[in-house]
Amino acid sequence: MQSFISKEDGIFPSVCSLDCPDQCGLLVHKKAGKIVKIEGDPNHPVTQGAICNKVRHMTERLYDPKRLTTPLKRVGAKGEGTFTPISWEEAIVIIASNWRKLIEIEGPESILPYSFYGNMGNINAEGMDRRFFHRLGASQLDRTICQAAGSVGYRYTMGGAYGTDPEETTETKLFIFWGINAVSTNMHQMMLAQKARKNGAKIIVIDVHKNQTGKMADWFIPIVPGTDSALALGMMHILFKEKLVNEPFMKEYTVGYQQLEEHVKQYDPETVSVITGVPVDDIYKLSRMYATTSPSLIRIGNGLQHHDNGGMIVRTISCLPALTGAWLEKGGGALKSNSGFLSHNSAALQRPDLLKDKQTRVFNMNELGKALLETTPPVRSLFIYNCNPAVVTPDSNKVREGLAREDLFTVVHDLFLTETATFADVVLPATSAFENTDFYTSYWHHYIHMQKPIVEPFGDSKSNTEVFRLLARSMGFTDDTLQDSDEELVRQAVHHPENPFLKDVQFDELDEKLYIKADRKSFSLLNLTTPSRKIELYSETMIKDGYPGLPTHIPLVDDGEFPFLFVPGPNHNFLNSTFSNNDKHITLEKEPKVHISQLDAQNLGIEDGDMIRIWNNQGECELMAAVGENVLPGVLVSQGLWADMPGKKQLVNALTPDRLSDMGGGATFFSGRVACSKELS
């Protein structure tokens, strides 16, 4: 395998590394060994040359003067951010010696890795790191902060992460973007929808906030947060009652439709309207449009699953296409995730066998604050990479209190001195994706991509895989598998004959072509991976797991007497906390705001542009009020995870609960309650 590093000048194919479903094909322009421009690859079959602002301005992040170039050792108080440069040799010795002492005194489970997908490259996100910590016998991390709840809910219905091929959605006639700000988080699906709209398609958006996607819709339907399952059940009530269902499809491809028909009688439009805030007439109109427009596609968003009832919401919505038979039409059905088509050989990559049957404890990443402050025996060391939990993790004040423990030895591997890194004892500089060998698998489209390094590592930075190879040697681990090269890791991971959709993909072909489409011809609605092999409108498995067997609306947890539901959604120019510390992207996004209805603002004496205080028992924020009709009364919506700035209180996750969702141990970011006032603290 050849990299592109040896060529000082030219235009080189690449792939976007961000945690985004689109996973764009890129062209990287290089001059005198430095990246000078990034543009979309017009030849990519799905993304076709269009990219977002985040990637268009990526060079400013890559060469940001704040980017780390050398390892650092803390010399000030935790959280103060005072460090002195050290060598890699000294850094590795410090880490390994601390860990050997901990293992001797308290055992390897006193050490906890903490990571997510700040880099979506598979070997740098879940490769040598997993092997190393398995071999070490460290505590394990349940990485559930993003898609866990909805993935479980969708799996109960469909058996796995299998949805409509996005490339076919130019044929779709009705799009329902449900709980997704696609303009900001899945822009190419919106572009495909707009292309279909030129041929007569309609776009409906159902969301808690009339964001950029809602403003581009033919019809925007505002909804009370956490009530989406009730709306879906109300639609089912009408579909059955008015005989708008496709009974031959349900007989052949589903189980439980007769039980479902009886069950949804209780979800009449009047009852559902009271729950959801959606007018009765709109529920009828939506249901009839959905039933009579074909092909129809429901794009199920990420935000829906960040509620207490998020798994059941996704489980419920995913039943709708089976009632109309939308799955049989090209461009019809539903799309939450398509990662099932591109699943790689994770066992070969991660090597869980290196645990050697040790029963190590497991921590849910959404409960990091509890893990650091309440666990016995305590966590004594964290190794944090590919994420910034001091900003991203729920109940962030509790997380920061835990990170400030003097008896906690913390290592952070990142491109920048993030808010989390200021609490570290050792900070290691990380490479960017353009400096790595890796492979990528989209969770939206059907293409697997190869990434070859384009430029030399920035300063003295190192990739995740190289760091864990160094640590393995320093810890005295002689297992050959802990020294596999990046190319060997990719080869092992992409060889996965058990996945019928990738069984013919070979490393050499991927290395040559750079991207290959999964072959979904063997996919069949009569051979799903549910127990019945069909779409399960009624699920015996759910009953065994302690859930209702039929889709059900379950209200949010009572989160106290605070008057507002608070939804801290994503913004357009950041991706979680990534880019929030880069001047260009801050300029593009301007400033953090909170959207409040005209009625609520009037009652509280708040005017558009006022700074207002938002608080609950966990913490407080001060954000600029955006007054209007973009949210329902009783709802506050902020956008973006903003970096810490002196004199400002904008840490929105200080207000979010660290409760776990109904399924999968997912996060409940969007189910918290707050109060707000014009009076600042």
Side-chain angles (χ1 to χ4, degrees):
M1 184 189 77
Q2 291 185 337
S3 72
F4 301 125
I5 291 176
S6 60
K7 299 178 181 179
E8 287 285 298
D9 301 282
I11 302 174
F12 304 95
S14 185
V15 57
C16 181
S17 66
L18 298 178
D19 186 1
C20 166
D22 296 49
Q23 203 159 96
C24 300
L26 305 176
L27 294 178
V28 177
H29 295 244
K30 183 177 167 185
K31 188 173 182 179
K34 182 178 178 179
I35 296 173
V36 295
K37 179 182 177 182
I38 298 173
E39 63 180 348
D41 182 354
N43 295 317
H44 191 279
V46 182
T47 60
Q48 297 182 353
I51 56 174
C52 67
N53 276 341
K54 295 182 276 288
V55 182
R56 185 174 295 107
H57 300 292
M58 181 72 83
T59 53
E60 305 215 16
R61 175 175 169 82
L62 295 175
Y63 300 108
D64 191 311
K66 299 188 292 291
R67 190 171 166 191
L68 298 173
T69 60
T70 186
L72 304 172
K73 180 174 71 173
R74 179 171 64 90
V75 293
K78 287 201 170 190
E80 183 180 274
T82 307
F83 296 87
T84 188
I86 57 175
S87 67
W88 269 100
E89 291 76 15
E90 185 179 354
I92 295 297
V93 167
I94 291 171
I95 297 167
S97 61
N98 271 275
W99 282 354
R100 277 193 289 267
K101 290 175 186 175
L102 284 174
I103 291 169
E104 182 181 351
I105 298 170
E106 303 194 42
E109 289 183 78
S110 61
I111 301 166
L112 175 66
Y114 195 95
S115 71
F116 203 61
Y117 291 90
N119 177 351
M120 287 294 290
N122 286 293
I123 71 167
N124 279 280
E126 53 180 69
M128 194 59 71
D129 59 314
R130 302 291 209 277
R131 294 184 182 194
F132 174 81
F133 286 115
H134 286 148
R135 173 64 178 82
L136 189 70
S139 289
Q140 302 293 297
L141 185 71
D142 197 7
R143 293 170 172 86
T144 59
I145 201 166
C146 185
Q147 298 197 67
S151 296
V152 174
Y154 192 85
R155 187 164 61 242
Y156 280 129
T157 302
M158 297 297 298
Y162 306 110
T164 306
D165 185 344
E167 291 181 87
E168 296 184 353
T169 61
T170 54
E171 306 291 327
T172 306
K173 294 301 182 186
L174 180 67
F175 292 86
I176 300 179
F177 287 92
W178 203 323
I180 178 172
N181 185 5
V183 170
S184 298
T185 65
N186 188 193
M187 62 174 283
H188 292 90
Q189 184 61 77
M190 178 54 75
M191 291 173 65
L192 290 166
Q194 288 178 304
K195 186 179 290 187
R197 182 151 63 178
K198 292 178 180 177
N199 294 320
K202 297 295 184 184
I203 298 174
I204 297 173
V205 173
I206 304 171
D207 214 325
V208 301
H209 174 214
K210 194 172 187 179
N211 47 42
Q212 291 193 59
T213 307
K215 291 173 182 176
M216 292 179 68
D218 296 297
W219 183 20
F220 173 71
I221 303 174
I223 188 169
V224 173
T227 66
D228 306 83
S229 53
L231 179 57
L233 289 160
M235 292 173 67
M236 295 179 198
H237 173 100
I238 293 168
L239 294 177
F240 277 113
K241 186 175 182 180
E242 298 190 353
K243 301 191 184 304
L244 295 172
V245 294
N246 187 331
E247 191 161 350
F249 178 91
M250 291 191 295
K251 283 182 178 179
E252 184 173 1
Y253 293 101
T254 77
V255 294
Y257 74 92
Q258 292 162 317
Q259 296 101 307
L260 181 62
E261 181 177 10
E262 186 63 30
H263 174 69
V264 298
K265 288 179 179 178
Q266 64 188 295
Y267 293 99
D268 59 89
E270 291 75 17
T271 298
V272 168
S273 180
V274 171
I275 296 170
T276 64
V278 179
V280 170
D281 288 347
D282 286 355
I283 299 172
Y284 276 106
K285 178 183 174 183
L286 172 64
S287 304
R288 291 164 181 164
M289 280 184 69
Y290 181 64
T292 58
T293 310
S294 181
S296 62
L297 175 80
I298 303 177
R299 179 65 174 102
I300 303 173
N302 211 36
L304 297 168
Q305 63 199 326
H306 289 157
H307 286 293
D308 297 307
N309 54 6
M312 185 61 84
I313 286 175
V314 175
R315 178 323 192 237
T316 304
I317 294 171
S318 65
C319 292
L320 279 167
L323 271 64
T324 63
W327 287 110
L328 292 183
E329 301 292 331
K330 186 176 181 181
L335 206 171
K336 183 201 177 290
S337 170
N338 272 322
S339 59
F341 292 108
L342 293 173
S343 61
H344 58 272
N345 193 337
S346 59
L349 180 59
Q350 299 180 17
R351 295 298 300 271
D353 56 294
L354 292 170
L355 267 171
K356 298 180 180 177
D357 298 322
K358 296 174 186 173
Q359 297 300 309
T360 56
R361 60 184 179 174
V362 179
F363 290 96
N364 187 295
M365 70 183 305
N366 298 304
E367 299 180 311
L368 180 60
K370 291 177 182 176
L372 296 179
L373 296 175
E374 302 173 15
T375 299
T376 304
V379 174
R380 294 292 190 191
S381 180
L382 282 175
F383 192 104
I384 299 169
Y385 55 107
N386 282 349
C387 68
N388 184 13
V391 173
V392 172
T393 307
D395 201 352
S396 296
N397 285 338
K398 186 188 295 184
V399 171
R400 294 183 182 206
E401 182 183 350
L403 290 171
R405 280 175 38 202
E406 282 296 334
D407 65 338
L408 179 72
F409 175 68
T410 300
V411 182
V412 172
H413 185 209
D414 209 306
L415 282 75
F416 294 93
L417 193 67
T418 62
E419 292 83 354
T420 303
T422 65
F423 291 91
D425 297 282
V426 176
V427 180
L428 305 175
T431 51
S432 75
F434 298 115
E435 298 149 41
N436 298 336
T437 296
D438 219 320
F439 79 102
Y440 292 79
T441 48
S442 171
Y443 51 92
W444 172 61
H445 62 62
H446 285 41
Y447 289 83
I448 180 172
H449 293 78
M450 186 74 196
Q451 169 69 60
K452 300 183 182 185
I454 294 171
V455 290
E456 296 282 359
F458 186 83
D460 205 11
S461 60
K462 296 186 185 297
S463 67
N464 288 348
T465 54
E466 182 58 24
V467 168
F468 288 109
R469 282 191 284 261
L470 290 171
L471 285 170
R473 286 196 288 270
S474 188
M475 294 296 293
F477 299 158
T478 59
D479 315 61
D480 291 341
T481 189
L482 296 178
Q483 295 302 322
D484 282 346
S485 69
D486 290 351
E487 179 179 333
E488 288 169 329
L489 291 171
V490 178
R491 283 184 181 275
Q492 293 160 18
V494 301
H495 179 68
H496 194 28
E498 289 79 12
N499 177 0
F501 313 111
L502 285 184
K503 61 182 176 61
D504 295 328
V505 172
Q506 300 296 324
F507 173 85
D508 291 338
E509 182 185 12
L510 182 61
D511 185 47
E512 177 186 354
K513 294 182 177 179
L514 298 181
Y515 54 82
I516 298 173
K517 187 174 184 179
D519 182 0
R520 63 177 286 160
K521 287 195 292 287
S522 60
F523 178 71
S524 170
L525 292 171
L526 291 173
N527 192 29
L528 300 177
T529 52
T530 56
S532 66
R533 297 292 183 183
K534 297 182 178 184
I535 299 170
E536 298 206 344
L537 305 175
Y538 170 81
S539 170
E540 289 282 356
T541 304
M542 293 188 72
I543 293 175
K544 292 175 184 175
D545 292 344
Y547 304 108
L550 291 162
T552 303
H553 171 63
I554 300 170
L556 300 181
V557 172
D558 183 357
D559 200 23
E561 298 303 314
F562 296 99
F564 292 96
L565 282 163
F566 178 55
V567 179
N571 64 19
H572 195 66
N573 292 293
F574 306 163
L575 204 162
N576 297 322
S577 69
T578 303
F579 303 106
S580 68
N581 67 326
N582 299 119
D583 293 340
K584 180 68 176 183
H585 295 84
I586 293 171
T587 300
L588 290 168
E589 197 60 40
K590 296 179 181 176
E591 57 195 325
K593 297 179 180 179
V594 60
H595 295 267
I596 182 171
S597 74
Q598 186 75 51
L599 177 62
D600 288 328
Q602 183 177 339
N603 290 338
L604 293 168
I606 294 170
E607 296 184 1
D608 188 58
D610 285 346
M611 291 297 295
I612 64 174
R613 177 176 176 247
I614 309 163
W615 77 93
N616 59 22
N617 292 331
Q618 298 166 207
E620 64 177 359
C621 287
E622 293 175 358
L623 305 175
M624 180 179 288
V627 178
E629 302 302 328
N630 292 331
V631 295
L632 292 174
V635 179
L636 299 179
V637 174
S638 69
Q639 290 183 283
L641 299 179
W642 291 75
D644 287 356
M645 295 185 68
K648 295 195 174 184
K649 299 176 182 179
Q650 51 195 35
L651 181 63
V652 294
N653 273 328
L655 306 174
T656 54
D658 63 357
R659 296 190 303 271
L660 301 182
S661 60
D662 54 346
M663 300 176 191
T668 58
F669 291 115
F670 296 169
S671 287
R673 300 192 74 92
V674 297
C676 80
S677 169
K678 189 174 179 178
E679 302 299 321
L680 304 182
S681 59

